[in-house]
Amino acid sequence: MLPNQMRYIDLPSFGGPEVMSFATGPLPVARAGEILVKVEAAGINRPDVQQRKGAYPPPKDASPILGLEIAGEVVAVGEGVAEFKVGDKVCALANGGAYAQYCAVPAGQALPWPKGYDAVKAAALCETFFTVWANLFQMAGLTEGESVLIHGGSSGIGTTAIQLAKAFGATVYTTVGSEEKRAACEKLGAKRAINYKTEDFAEVVKAETGSAGVDAVLDMIGADYLEKNLSVLAKDGCLSIIAFLGGNVAEKVNLTPIMVKRLTVTGSTMRPRTAEEKRAIRDDLKSQVWPLLEAGTVAPVIHSVLPFEQVSEAHRLMETSSHIGKIVLKL
């Protein structure tokens, strides 16, 4: 028997981490094609911080509650759902609503926990793995024998991208902001982690590749890195932009390399994608990535696990960028 009410993190106004507060309200309902999950753990992600600040509004049909990834137990299934049943342990990419005791998610965005995983490890998967798979493999087309530059190597996205690129046979370069992060990324499989505070990443990549450049760049910086990103790409290379931590307006950028090297510049955000697009990413992950997780070839890097009550502290930690890997809330 499900309760009538649940606790969740409310966002009564935009601002710093302190604006979030606990509230009580009705459980979400599993609509057609959805499952209702009793949340055991939830991942913290950069878009959560942006939404809290008022810079990343949820889609019209999504829950206004913060949070984009969960792990827990299915407690109800909506009409037409055949792939999951009550009692199944799942992790899922939520359209919102993860910072709560219960969360309704489309069944096409849920996956079983990899064998041997608990709620915390499972909750650290979906947002980053969906994002990396879509942008680096589906859109940028990274394949075996190619090379890639991954910015922000110590982030949840970065640690995931390094491992997946390495697992699928690519040579990985990455940028980091400290020697501790450099060592961590090279341990994960990066051939060379470049400390952007003491080195010019473009010069290092060109030296490492004999001036050939890399086949793909996964970038979360945006404007500040655009010109250098174009300069380090090899012929027919692809720049995939997933965030704008360094601004979204680039001025006086030399675009000549795009034409001379036949470059592709692309980018995306996960949240506005259709349910069908997200299901296609989910299906790829289930067939191609979940076996790697179960074999231990790839694993989420978890920096810290905090209790639900310390959500503000979790956001503060995210904003320091001092973490290596994922920050997870445990309910």
Side-chain angles (χ1 to χ4, degrees):
M1 190 76 176
L2 294 176
N4 293 322
Q5 301 279 303
M6 69 173 185
R7 292 180 83 206
Y8 67 93
I9 304 297
D10 191 24
L11 190 66
S13 63
F14 299 129
E18 70 281 353
V19 301
M20 295 182 289
S21 62
F22 277 96
T24 302
L27 275 64
V29 175
R31 299 175 293 189
E34 292 184 337
I35 55 176
L36 180 65
V37 179
K38 183 179 182 181
V39 180
E40 297 177 33
I44 302 285
N45 292 283
R46 193 74 63 172
D48 305 347
V49 173
Q50 294 301 100
Q51 183 176 337
R52 190 202 74 222
K53 292 177 176 178
Y56 194 55
K60 289 180 181 178
D61 61 343
S63 170
I65 297 172
L66 291 169
L68 299 173
E69 63 185 344
I70 59 166
E73 183 174 322
V74 177
V75 294
V77 295
E79 183 184 348
V81 175
E83 57 190 313
F84 296 106
K85 64 184 186 304
V86 172
D88 286 348
K89 294 288 193 178
V90 300
C91 52
L93 179 73
N95 296 331
Y99 291 11
Q101 290 179 309
Y102 293 85
C103 182
V105 296
Q109 293 164 215
L111 290 136
W113 291 5
K115 289 183 181 68
Y117 272 52
D118 60 9
V120 168
K121 285 184 72 176
L125 295 174
C126 285
E127 170 67 13
T128 50
F129 277 78
F130 270 73
T131 299
V132 170
W133 188 263
N135 288 276
L136 194 54
F137 294 91
Q138 289 184 339
M139 295 173 67
L142 186 69
T143 58
E144 183 177 2
E146 293 189 331
S147 56
V148 59
L149 171 63
I150 297 162
H151 289 298
S154 62
S155 65
I157 291 286
T159 54
T160 298
I162 290 168
Q163 292 182 79
L164 283 180
K166 173 78 171 177
F168 284 97
T171 301
V172 180
Y173 304 98
T174 188
T175 56
V176 295
S178 73
E179 288 305 297
E180 180 190 10
K181 291 178 176 181
R182 181 193 61 75
C185 290
E186 291 182 352
K187 187 176 180 180
L188 286 173
K191 181 181 178 184
R192 178 80 150 80
I194 306 156
N195 187 337
Y196 64 84
K197 293 180 179 178
T198 59
E199 300 177 284
D200 183 315
F201 77 80
E203 290 180 2
V204 173
V205 169
K206 287 171 186 174
E208 288 280 337
T209 61
S211 298
V214 291
D215 299 291
V217 175
L218 184 65
D219 177 56
M220 55 188 73
I221 305 302
D224 287 352
Y225 277 10
L226 179 58
E227 193 155 15
K228 280 190 176 182
N229 283 336
L230 296 177
S231 76
V232 302
L233 280 166
K235 282 188 177 178
D236 298 307
C238 180
L239 167 61
S240 183
I241 302 170
I242 59 170
F244 299 119
L245 298 179
N248 63 345
V249 177
E251 298 179 4
K252 297 182 179 178
V253 173
N254 180 8
L255 301 177
T256 303
I258 296 176
M259 294 176 66
V260 173
K261 296 192 284 187
R262 301 186 298 270
L263 304 180
T264 299
V265 178
T266 185
S268 74
T269 56
M270 186 57 59
R271 209 165 188 183
R273 286 175 177 258
T274 66
E276 292 75 20
E277 288 171 332
K278 291 174 184 175
R279 178 183 284 274
I281 299 167
R282 189 282 307 266
D283 290 347
D284 271 4
L285 290 173
K286 189 174 183 179
S287 65
Q288 300 191 57
V289 174
W290 250 233
L292 298 176
L293 292 168
E294 294 185 344
T297 307
V298 173
V301 176
I302 297 173
H303 179 83
S304 56
V305 182
L306 293 102
F308 197 36
E309 290 70 24
Q310 292 183 22
V311 62
S312 295
E313 184 57 37
H315 271 232
R316 290 188 187 98
L317 178 58
M318 170 69 73
E319 289 185 284
T320 67
S321 294
S322 63
H323 56 291
I324 297 174
K326 295 285 293 186
I327 303 165
V328 178
L329 291 178
K330 191 172 183 180
L331 276 72

